[in-house]
Amino acid sequence: MSFLSLRGLCQAVCLLVGTLDVVLDSSARVAPYRILHQTQDSQIYWTVACGSSRKEITKHWEWLENNLLQTLSIFDNEEDITTFVKGKIHGIIAEENKNQQPQSEEDPGKFKEAELKMRKQFGMPEVEKLVNYYSCSYWKGRVPRQGWLYLTVNHLCFYSFLLGKEVTLVVQWVDVTQLEKNATLLFPECIKVSTRDSELYFSMFLNINETFKLMEQLANIAMRQLLDNEGFLEDKTLPKPRKPLKNISALKRDLDARAKNECYRATFRLPKDERLDGHTDCTLWTPFNKMHIPGQMFVSNNYICFASKAEEACHLIIPLREVTIVEKADSSSVLPSPLSISTKSKMTFLFANLKDRDFLVQRISDFLQKTPSKTPCGNDREWKESMAEPGNEEVAELPSSSPLPVSPTSAFNSQPISFCTGEVPTASQGLLKLFRRNSEELLGPKAAKEKMKEESWNIHFFEYGRGMCMYRTAKTRELIQKGIPENLRGELWLLFSGAWNEMVTHPGYYADLVEKSMGKYNLATEEIERDLHRSMPEHPAFQNELGIAALRRVLTAYAFRNPTIGYCQAMNIVTSVLLLYCNEEEAFWLLVALCERMLPDYYNTRVVGALVDQGIFEELTRDYLPQLSEKMQELGVISTISLSWFLTLFLSVMPFESAVVIVDCFFYEGIKFILQVSLAILDANVEKLLNCCDEGEAMTVLGRYLDNVVNQQSVSPRIPHLHALLTSGEDQPLEIDIFELIKTSYEKFSSLRADDIEQMRFKQRLKVIQSLEDTAKRSVVRAVSGDINFSMEELEELYVVFKAKHLMSCYWGNNRTAVACRDQNLPYLEQYRIDLEQFRELFASLTPWSCGLHTPVLAGRMFRLLDENRDSLINFKEFVTGMSGMYHGDLTEKLKLLYKLHLPPALSSEEAESALEATSYFTEDAVTEVSPFVSELDLFLHCESQEAAAQEDKRGGNGNSKEKEEKSTSPQDYKYYLRMWAKEKDTKKETIKDLPKMSQEQFIELCKTLYNMFSEDPVEQELYHAIATVASLLLRIGEVGKKFSSRPMKKAGDCKANNTQDPVSEEESPTSEQSQNSAVERQLQVDPEDRAAGDAQAGKTQQENQTLGDGVGEGIGSPLLLLSDDEAKDDMSMSSYSMVSTGSLQCEDIADDTVLVGCEALSSAARYGSTVDTDWSISFEQVLASMLTESALVNYFEKKIDILQKIKDQKKVERQFSSSSDYELSSVSG
């Protein structure tokens, strides 16, 4: 047995070892250093340890020497030694993996290994979860690179190392603009992933469909994050699999379950919180045609559903709240494993051919036990009976002209209205029943036709059932296409939309919302009030306060239920139609179903859902009407018409009696029907549209067509259509019957399938959201470009980096403030914001003023300076303002920014602790004479407060009370406020004279920053000498200024009071100055072990200290401010500035008897700042003038730095990949 020594290790690695591994496993890249185990009689090497550096491999070797090599001497057999070594190493690896994984983790062992390899290979933090990994090929040019594709929650990663060629890819899902599966001659059956910068092709999957489906889900989650800031949250309540699943992670099972849940809820229109428990094949006995229909049974926590294999054969929904009996019937050869389910409405459903009937019955029983036995709102049977005889109801008929006993402000009265007691008529019935037509209108041929429709539905109810448990078949669709009777419209809308399920399971919810929202105002309620009288003003029900008040309550209640949406235009039009046929609570739940399930993302500030379906409409037009598609694109019509059609379900562009039939079919079919009707409308106008010359002409053609879509069967009096009045011309076109239009749409375009539309929605959602993000980027860049000196290209790159940092906090930041505060309703500029930690990371990678270990301190000061509103967040404009100050502008502007970084508010209270203590030396009595130590900023603020007080006295004088002042509306007040507003708008540009003076402590901090900034610069020594010269000059200037400013104070009567803490007499002042100077020299050498990025200079400094000339070290006029204990413990020590003391400062007025000593002579009193000179100060003009005397400093601040290169380097740093075991991605994980 022998262990290869480190000397021979490199030679062995470079030969044959690992070649076979590389060929078979593309991710098995050979480490540069390895420790191998080999027996004398074997040619096989066993890898014991590997490392990316000599230091790392040496640590492994030392561990082996201490823990393993001594034990091997007890073995006699080489095979036993090999077995022992292998077992020991595998045990260590297994224990390490176990420690790195949470105890509750259910992932299989092989998957855990892949996840650890992924994190190590791509530098991902532990919060980044692997979902699945696949073997595939990445096409780089025309050459495939075989490797592994890792799909994590937030990234797509690929790694390949084949025959010495390495390929590493990392793509964030939020950057994916297109994802499609296609097959070409060059790329056989591949997946194409597109971003703004590149197109990636992957092929040779074992199961390409599974991979593509998972990629779609992850990209969809990322788009949802961009849209409404909803990150991915793992489902902790996911039931464990009955059988262990090989190499399938818990996250993969979670995503699979989510996909099935979404499909299940969409198919049966169930509430958003419904979770599918399982499904099984079976048959359902249908009494209406005496057949056993094959299909699938779905069981969830509140429903049992059935869907036939033939799409239109039969659908069935059985709420568990309606189930009374579940029993196993006797099996027979004709009816094997039957299961009978009975409901409260006396209906019995017979399922058969169930594979695991006993288990199914047990699951249903478990769910039944959790189902409330009584529903406060009553069951479906009671609801059915209450609506079955609408003609027998006693309804208070209200003609449209009659005055109503409803106050115009009833919705906001102090006494809330109770909807349960029927104080408001709309709480129990729709507006159409309250505004009945004259009796003679109910006796015509249209009324007879209406009665026939009602009779047809009653027959259907008798055969197929009524309520939620109705058998839904092709017959149901046929009846809907012929139009729903007005008396049944509200009932069937609730039924087919699924809104009834949510209403019956949330009793009293709407009334509570109305009560909570009553009297409260926000942006949504203001918009609602604006649009109330624009909602179907042509209908009598909304020409009166009863309808307006009901509409107000429903819209306001929804705005409070869903503040993310709040209120969006077009909601008022749809809701007003719902209120005609339903009471307020029913209309509210229909609106919930519409906004949250049937038309997702339609009614938000960016109408994303409507834009997505608009994209689908364009795609369908290309497929079904290719000859028209190109013309429509040329005219730009589709984008104009589709939004108004889709958002209002044709209610705003078609006569009301016709559009309501569209709504009937929509609640049964969903968006599929709206799309096929839209195609039918274009198809009917193909010839006219092809002859159009511009968009206006095409809009007129379509507008006139829609205005003349009529419903001859409507029993309601025709309501004037405002759109028709505006578009009517001399030649009235032929009328189009709405039922014929619907029939044509089914005949020509019924091949549309709901699942195909959902697939198209995903594709378009990627396109739309990324397009909106690009628009947002352009808007933000344009908004800030006028005030910032960066080019448009630089601003766009900075925006990408800034946004990426914000998004990183969404999935790696553990609910940081930036995530919690993001509001989609804010302007684009305010939507992405970062906090201090994120800013520090960006600052460290992008700043041209790198200060080593001092960089985080400088970044914190810059953040406080930019955070004007003090909310601990900065937006993009504030961010680039700070960056521009460092990169652009002349020497004066850059130095001004650096100067301000060492004044409040940039200099925090902790950093300026001594300065705060110094202010206590002066009492409040010294207000009659201005103190020379008060900064210009203090004087400015003091004067401003005095002016404000004077203004208050003027306004509040003449005996006027505060209340009268607030109520004053005189023109003088308006003029005053207008002047103040004009002053605020016309912001005065800050000049160097506006900057306050810098105290001694602040000057010390400035010197500290400059010394760290110059570390590792090519001309480091020149810069050190230059700043030493400037610092000594400024110290003398400050000292001279102190002597001049102290003379008036000696004459002041309160001089003794201000100097009670300083007993030094005037005669002793020279000695005091000398002692302070020696304290400065001592302080400048404090903490020699902790110089920030400048330890290499310690030797040089020592030599310079020994070669002091006669002119060196002559009196530094004033002491530099001492550090507090907290600062002394900080990583920023004073050793960086040891070069200032004795060796570099060319001072000329140090007394002959001054002794320069080290930090050991520093007394405790000196450390606590007792020698701080509070009288010392300098201005920015003095700093600037001193800096200009040194060419090295001028050149340093005037040199140009390319920020685009910095951004490229920053991206590389964030994506550094290391195979070392101790790699940490702290800079990325935040």
Side-chain angles (χ1 to χ4, degrees):
M1 185 281 302
S2 67
F3 276 92
L4 293 183
S5 65
L6 288 176
R7 182 176 300 174
L9 179 63
C10 296
Q11 297 175 356
V13 168
C14 295
L15 297 176
L16 299 175
V17 178
T19 304
L20 187 60
D21 289 342
V22 172
V23 173
L24 297 179
D25 184 359
S26 64
S27 63
R29 183 182 180 183
V30 178
Y33 297 92
R34 293 196 295 171
I35 298 174
L36 307 175
H37 169 71
Q38 181 194 26
T39 58
Q40 292 179 354
D41 299 330
S42 174
Q43 296 300 316
I44 298 175
Y45 293 92
W46 298 98
T47 302
V48 176
C50 61
S52 58
S53 65
R54 190 180 186 90
K55 180 180 177 181
E56 183 184 0
I57 206 68
T58 303
K59 286 173 62 178
H60 292 323
W61 181 261
E62 290 173 353
W63 187 93
L64 289 170
E65 285 183 326
N66 296 330
N67 297 276
L68 194 65
L69 292 182
Q70 297 175 0
T71 311
L72 298 181
S73 59
I74 64 174
F75 294 98
D76 298 328
N77 192 321
E78 290 184 348
E79 292 183 2
D80 293 342
I81 292 174
T82 301
T83 304
F84 173 77
V85 171
K86 288 170 60 181
K88 184 74 173 177
I89 299 302
H90 282 302
I92 293 170
I93 294 172
E95 186 65 26
E96 180 68 16
N97 292 346
K98 182 180 178 182
N99 294 335
Q100 291 190 18
Q101 291 292 332
Q103 295 298 320
S104 59
E105 194 67 60
E106 301 174 9
D107 295 337
K110 190 174 180 182
F111 185 87
K112 291 179 184 178
E113 291 179 13
E115 185 170 43
L116 288 172
K117 183 185 288 186
M118 177 274 299
R119 289 204 187 117
K120 190 175 178 183
Q121 189 67 54
F122 301 102
M124 298 291 179
E126 288 203 14
V127 292
E128 183 69 4
K129 301 291 186 181
L130 178 65
V131 181
N132 213 350
Y133 62 102
Y134 302 93
S135 174
C136 68
S137 289
Y138 161 64
W139 290 81
K140 191 171 184 180
R142 297 190 177 184
V143 180
R145 303 281 185 180
Q146 186 67 25
W148 289 95
L149 181 70
Y150 297 91
L151 303 181
T152 72
V153 172
N154 301 296
H155 296 85
L156 176 152
C157 307
F158 177 84
Y159 183 76
S160 171
F161 188 82
L162 191 61
L163 300 177
K165 298 280 188 177
E166 183 182 30
V167 176
T168 304
L169 294 173
V170 177
V171 177
Q172 293 188 60
W173 290 117
V174 291
D175 293 332
V176 174
T177 58
Q178 191 176 16
L179 192 64
E180 55 185 1
K181 182 178 63 176
N182 52 27
T184 63
L185 293 175
L186 184 59
F187 305 116
E189 199 176 29
C190 68
I191 295 175
K192 176 184 174 184
V193 181
S194 301
T195 65
R196 292 177 178 84
D197 305 320
S198 59
E199 293 182 350
L200 310 175
Y201 292 88
F202 301 93
S203 65
M204 299 184 187
F205 292 93
L206 291 176
N207 190 339
I208 192 170
N209 292 327
E210 176 194 330
T211 309
F212 184 71
K213 185 178 178 182
L214 180 57
M215 292 169 79
E216 276 188 330
Q217 283 182 279
L218 294 170
N220 217 10
I221 290 171
M223 293 306 104
R224 179 59 55 187
Q225 182 182 335
L226 287 176
L227 180 60
D228 53 20
N229 209 35
E230 283 186 11
F232 177 80
L233 293 176
E234 189 175 353
D235 188 358
K236 300 295 184 182
T237 61
L238 190 69
K240 294 183 179 180
R242 296 171 63 189
K243 298 178 182 179
L245 301 173
K246 186 178 180 182
N247 293 337
I248 296 182
S249 66
L251 274 178
K252 178 68 167 61
R253 292 196 301 111
D254 184 357
L255 288 172
D256 289 344
R258 289 179 189 223
K260 291 178 181 177
N261 284 334
E262 289 173 6
C263 182
Y264 170 63
R265 290 192 295 261
T267 302
F268 299 103
R269 306 277 169 79
L270 299 178
K272 293 182 73 174
D273 58 350
E274 196 64 21
R275 296 158 59 95
L276 179 64
D277 186 69
H279 59 89
T280 183
D281 292 335
C282 67
T283 59
L284 172 66
W285 170 255
T286 50
F288 51 87
N289 60 1
K290 306 294 189 292
M291 291 178 62
H292 290 282
I293 299 179
Q296 282 190 321
M297 175 193 284
F298 301 85
V299 179
S300 59
N301 44 342
N302 293 299
Y303 298 90
I304 300 172
C305 302
F306 175 85
S308 60
K309 291 184 177 179
E311 187 178 356
E312 298 182 3
C314 182
H315 272 210
L316 179 65
I317 303 170
I318 308 173
L320 291 182
R321 63 179 181 270
E322 291 295 307
V323 173
T324 55
I325 300 173
V326 178
E327 58 182 350
K328 294 181 282 187
D330 295 334
S331 296
S332 65
S333 58
V334 179
L335 204 63
S337 303
L339 177 67
S340 174
I341 299 176
S342 301
T343 66
K344 296 174 183 177
S345 56
K346 309 300 183 186
M347 294 182 70
T348 301
F349 304 95
L350 188 61
F351 298 91
N353 293 286
L354 294 162
K355 293 180 180 178
D356 198 346
R357 184 175 63 167
D358 294 338
F359 176 76
L360 180 63
V361 171
Q362 183 59 48
R363 292 300 293 164
I364 295 174
S365 300
D366 292 343
F367 288 132
L368 281 171
Q369 289 178 0
K370 299 175 185 177
T371 303
S373 56
K374 280 191 175 182
T375 305
C377 276
N379 57 40
D380 289 330
R381 183 167 55 86
E382 293 170 357
W383 166 65
K384 178 192 70 176
E385 290 174 353
S386 68
M387 300 185 107
E389 300 292 339
N392 297 335
E393 295 178 4
E394 294 184 4
V395 180
E397 298 181 9
L398 296 172
S400 59
S401 59
S402 65
L404 295 173
V406 181
S407 169
T409 59
S410 61
F412 301 106
N413 280 345
S414 58
Q415 295 182 350
I417 297 171
S418 173
F419 294 93
C420 298
T421 57
E423 292 181 19
V424 177
T426 51
S428 58
Q429 52 197 326
L431 288 169
L432 213 58
K433 294 178 181 177
L434 296 173
F435 294 87
R436 280 195 179 277
R437 297 160 298 282
N438 296 328
S439 56
E440 58 269 14
E441 293 179 0
L442 301 175
L443 301 176
K446 290 184 179 179
K449 182 74 172 177
E450 187 79 358
K451 286 291 183 184
M452 290 175 61
K453 286 185 181 179
E454 289 183 17
E455 189 59 32
S456 298
W457 275 99
N458 287 331
I459 294 171
H460 185 271
F461 292 149
F462 179 77
E463 292 182 358
Y464 296 87
R466 189 170 189 173
M468 286 304 302
C469 299
M470 175 198 301
Y471 292 98
R472 305 172 193 212
T473 66
K475 179 68 174 175
T476 311
R477 175 183 288 169
E478 289 176 13
L479 283 176
I480 292 171
Q481 289 176 24
K482 294 176 181 177
I484 298 176
E486 285 191 356
N487 289 330
L488 296 175
R489 190 160 270 147
E491 172 188 346
L492 294 176
W493 283 359
L494 285 166
L495 179 69
F496 296 138
S497 67
W500 172 254
N501 286 322
E502 292 183 280
M503 185 173 75
V504 78
T505 53
H506 295 82
Y509 178 83
Y510 171 71
D512 291 342
L513 267 182
V514 171
E515 190 172 349
K516 288 177 184 177
S517 63
M518 197 172 290
K520 295 182 180 178
Y521 298 90
N522 53 30
L523 181 61
T525 57
E526 290 179 11
E527 293 177 345
I528 289 169
E529 288 297 322
R530 255 198 328 265
D531 285 351
L532 283 176
H533 294 278
R534 305 175 190 170
S535 308
M536 293 190 68
E538 65 275 14
H539 198 286
F542 297 99
Q543 294 170 358
N544 148 344
E545 186 54 34
L546 179 65
I548 295 294
L551 182 60
R552 177 189 292 118
R553 283 190 291 270
V554 173
L555 291 174
T556 306
Y558 186 78
F560 275 80
R561 166 189 165 86
N562 192 344
T564 304
I565 293 177
Y567 171 76
C568 176
Q569 285 189 345
M571 286 173 67
N572 60 320
I573 296 173
V574 176
T575 308
S576 59
V577 174
L578 301 179
L579 281 168
L580 290 176
Y581 299 98
C582 307
N583 64 41
E584 285 187 33
E585 185 177 16
E586 293 167 351
F588 170 80
W589 286 110
L590 277 170
L591 185 62
V592 169
L594 201 70
C595 295
E596 297 176 13
R597 289 190 286 107
M598 301 191 72
L599 296 176
D601 305 321
Y602 261 60
Y603 302 102
N604 56 30
T605 52
R606 298 191 282 181
V607 293
V608 173
L611 292 173
V612 168
D613 288 344
Q614 173 186 298
I616 295 175
F617 184 42
E618 292 181 10
E619 193 173 337
L620 292 173
T621 305
R622 285 195 296 271
D623 295 340
Y624 288 95
L625 303 170
Q627 75 280 15
L628 184 60
S629 174
E630 188 176 342
K631 181 70 175 180
M632 295 293 282
Q633 290 292 337
E634 178 187 331
L635 298 176
V637 176
I638 288 186
S639 59
T640 307
I641 60 175
S642 54
L643 281 181
S644 59
W645 292 4
F646 296 164
L647 278 170
T648 64
L649 304 176
F650 288 94
L651 289 166
S652 64
V653 296
M654 197 180 282
F656 167 74
E657 302 82 10
S658 304
V660 79
V661 181
I662 300 283
V663 178
D664 291 343
C665 298
F666 165 76
F667 277 123
Y668 187 79
E669 296 276 13
I671 192 63
K672 165 183 175 292
F673 177 76
I674 300 295
L675 290 169
Q676 72 183 37
V677 167
S678 301
L679 289 171
I681 292 169
L682 292 186
D683 183 57
N685 293 275
V686 168
E687 293 183 3
K688 292 180 180 178
L689 290 172
L690 288 175
N691 294 325
C692 290
C693 300
D694 55 34
E695 180 186 0
E697 188 178 353
M699 292 292 294
T700 302
V701 168
L702 292 171
R704 288 187 178 179
Y705 178 86
L706 291 171
D707 291 337
N708 289 275
V709 176
V710 297
N711 181 1
Q712 302 289 355
Q713 301 176 14
S714 174
V715 294
S716 301
R718 183 156 187 171
I719 299 170
H721 184 42
L722 294 182
H723 190 262
L725 297 176
L726 295 173
T727 58
S728 59
E730 297 178 0
D731 301 327
Q732 288 294 332
L734 296 175
E735 291 185 344
I736 302 97
D737 185 68
I738 181 62
F739 299 105
E740 285 298 319
L741 178 62
I742 291 173
K743 182 181 177 182
T744 303
S745 73
Y746 274 101
E747 289 174 351
K748 292 189 175 182
F749 308 106
S750 61
S751 58
L752 288 177
R753 293 172 54 86
D755 51 353
D756 292 337
I757 291 173
E758 284 304 314
Q759 182 71 28
M760 295 167 75
R761 268 181 168 172
F762 162 75
K763 179 181 175 182
Q764 293 296 329
R765 192 178 292 117
L766 279 180
K767 181 179 177 182
V768 167
I769 293 179
Q770 296 292 13
S771 175
L772 289 172
E773 289 295 311
D774 290 341
T775 302
K777 179 175 73 173
R778 289 192 295 270
S779 299
V780 170
V781 167
R782 278 199 303 268
V784 303
S785 60
D787 305 324
I788 306 297
N789 292 323
F790 285 120
S791 66
M792 296 293 281
E793 181 186 2
E794 290 171 337
L795 283 173
E796 288 185 357
E797 288 296 325
L798 282 169
Y799 181 85
V800 170
V801 172
F802 184 85
K803 173 184 164 185
K805 185 60 66 177
H806 168 90
L807 292 175
M808 206 170 286
S809 71
C810 295
Y811 45 80
W812 287 351
N814 297 324
N815 297 321
R816 275 180 165 160
T817 312
V819 184
C821 292
R822 186 186 175 198
D823 185 356
Q824 291 288 338
N825 295 320
L826 289 173
Y828 287 137
L829 187 60
E830 294 289 336
Q831 287 192 10
Y832 293 119
R833 297 182 288 177
I834 59 175
D835 61 17
L836 176 57
E837 288 305 314
Q838 295 167 306
F839 178 78
R840 277 180 175 154
E841 294 165 11
L842 283 180
F843 185 89
S845 58
L846 297 179
T847 180
W849 296 347
S850 180
C851 299
L853 296 176
H854 191 61
T855 303
V857 178
L858 191 64
R861 293 173 186 167
M862 177 71 83
F863 185 86
R864 288 188 290 273
L865 182 65
L866 297 175
D867 184 19
E868 295 180 358
N869 60 357
R870 301 290 176 265
D871 63 349
S872 300
L873 296 170
I874 62 171
N875 61 29
F876 178 68
K877 183 174 183 179
E878 293 166 337
F879 171 72
V880 293
T881 299
M883 288 290 118
S884 179
M886 293 185 288
Y887 276 94
H888 294 286
D890 55 15
L891 173 68
T892 305
E893 292 298 320
K894 291 179 180 178
L895 288 178
K896 189 200 301 186
L897 175 61
L898 191 62
Y899 185 87
K900 289 164 72 175
L901 289 176
H902 297 83
L903 298 173
L907 199 69
S908 66
S909 57
E910 292 81 5
E911 293 173 312
E913 185 180 358
S914 298
L916 292 175
E917 291 175 0
T919 60
S920 64
Y921 288 8
F922 309 102
T923 62
E924 294 181 358
D925 297 333
V927 293
T928 56
E929 188 166 348
V930 178
S931 168
F933 313 117
V934 179
S935 69
E936 292 181 8
L937 178 63
D938 295 329
L939 290 173
F940 174 75
L941 293 175
H942 178 67
C943 295
E944 191 178 47
S945 63
Q946 286 185 335
E947 289 178 6
Q951 290 286 350
E952 284 296 322
D953 291 338
K954 289 180 181 179
R955 290 199 301 270
N958 303 324
N960 291 337
S961 64
K962 187 176 180 180
E963 290 80 359
K964 289 182 180 179
E965 179 198 337
E966 290 176 354
K967 295 179 181 178
S968 174
T969 57
S970 65
Q972 292 181 354
D973 290 333
Y974 287 132
K975 290 178 181 178
Y976 169 74
Y977 286 117
L978 284 172
R979 284 197 301 271
M980 294 295 292
W981 178 77
K983 287 180 181 178
E984 291 177 2
K985 295 290 286 182
D986 186 20
T987 55
K988 183 181 177 183
K989 188 173 182 181
E990 186 181 53
T991 64
I992 58 177
K993 293 185 179 295
D994 297 328
L995 294 173
K997 289 188 176 182
M998 179 175 279
S999 69
Q1000 194 176 73
E1001 182 182 23
Q1002 293 160 358
F1003 179 68
I1004 261 286
E1005 293 295 332
L1006 177 61
C1007 290
K1008 188 187 296 186
T1009 299
L1010 288 169
Y1011 271 87
N1012 280 281
M1013 192 184 296
F1014 301 150
S1015 177
E1016 299 182 7
D1017 192 272
V1019 290
E1020 180 180 18
Q1021 284 303 310
E1022 293 180 33
L1023 290 168
Y1024 280 153
H1025 284 287
I1027 194 58
T1029 304
V1030 169
S1032 63
L1033 177 61
L1034 287 170
L1035 286 169
R1036 292 200 304 275
I1037 291 173
E1039 188 66 26
V1040 172
K1042 181 187 71 171
K1043 291 177 181 177
F1044 281 104
S1045 63
S1046 63
R1047 290 174 183 172
M1049 289 298 296
K1050 294 175 184 177
K1051 297 176 183 179
D1054 55 350
C1055 182
K1056 293 181 181 179
N1058 289 342
N1059 293 280
T1060 54
Q1061 299 183 30
D1062 188 6
V1064 181
S1065 65
E1066 185 180 347
E1067 291 79 6
E1068 296 173 334
S1069 58
T1071 308
S1072 174
E1073 289 178 16
Q1074 292 175 7
S1075 64
Q1076 288 177 359
N1077 292 341
S1078 63
V1080 171
E1081 301 302 333
R1082 291 195 298 271
Q1083 183 187 344
L1084 287 171
Q1085 298 188 37
V1086 170
D1087 297 341
E1089 77 282 0
D1090 194 23
R1091 171 169 185 203
D1095 292 337
Q1097 300 299 328
K1100 298 179 184 178
T1101 304
Q1102 205 167 13
Q1103 293 175 5
E1104 291 174 2
N1105 291 343
Q1106 295 172 0
T1107 58
L1108 285 172
D1110 293 337
V1112 178
E1114 296 179 3
I1116 308 175
S1118 171
L1120 295 177
L1121 194 59
L1122 302 180
L1123 291 175
S1124 65
D1125 277 350
D1126 292 338
E1127 284 190 86
K1129 294 174 185 176
D1130 191 72
D1131 58 350
M1132 289 317 306
S1133 71
M1134 293 301 298
S1135 62
S1136 308
Y1137 321 110
S1138 57
M1139 296 183 64
V1140 180
S1141 65
T1142 71
S1144 301
L1145 291 180
Q1146 304 297 319
C1147 305
E1148 298 173 0
D1149 52 355
I1150 292 182
D1152 294 334
D1153 57 347
T1154 300
V1155 180
L1156 301 176
V1157 294
C1159 61
E1160 64 277 359
L1162 192 62
S1163 67
S1164 60
R1167 287 190 62 82
Y1168 280 90
S1170 61
T1171 60
V1172 169
D1173 192 345
T1174 56
D1175 302 351
W1176 189 96
S1177 65
I1178 55 171
S1179 67
F1180 175 71
E1181 295 98 314
Q1182 294 165 340
V1183 174
L1184 176 62
S1186 303
M1187 290 276 199
L1188 289 173
T1189 62
E1190 294 293 332
S1191 59
L1193 295 176
V1194 173
N1195 294 335
Y1196 179 85
F1197 283 103
E1198 285 190 342
K1199 66 181 177 183
K1200 300 294 183 182
I1201 300 176
D1202 184 10
I1203 193 171
L1204 292 177
Q1205 186 60 44
K1206 284 268 189 182
I1207 293 173
K1208 288 180 182 177
D1209 295 340
Q1210 188 261 354
K1211 290 179 179 179
K1212 289 178 182 177
V1213 168
E1214 288 201 347
R1215 290 293 165 228
Q1216 279 192 358
F1217 311 109
S1218 172
S1219 58
S1220 62
S1221 59
D1222 58 349
Y1223 182 79
E1224 293 181 2
L1225 195 71
S1226 58
S1227 64
V1228 179
S1229 60

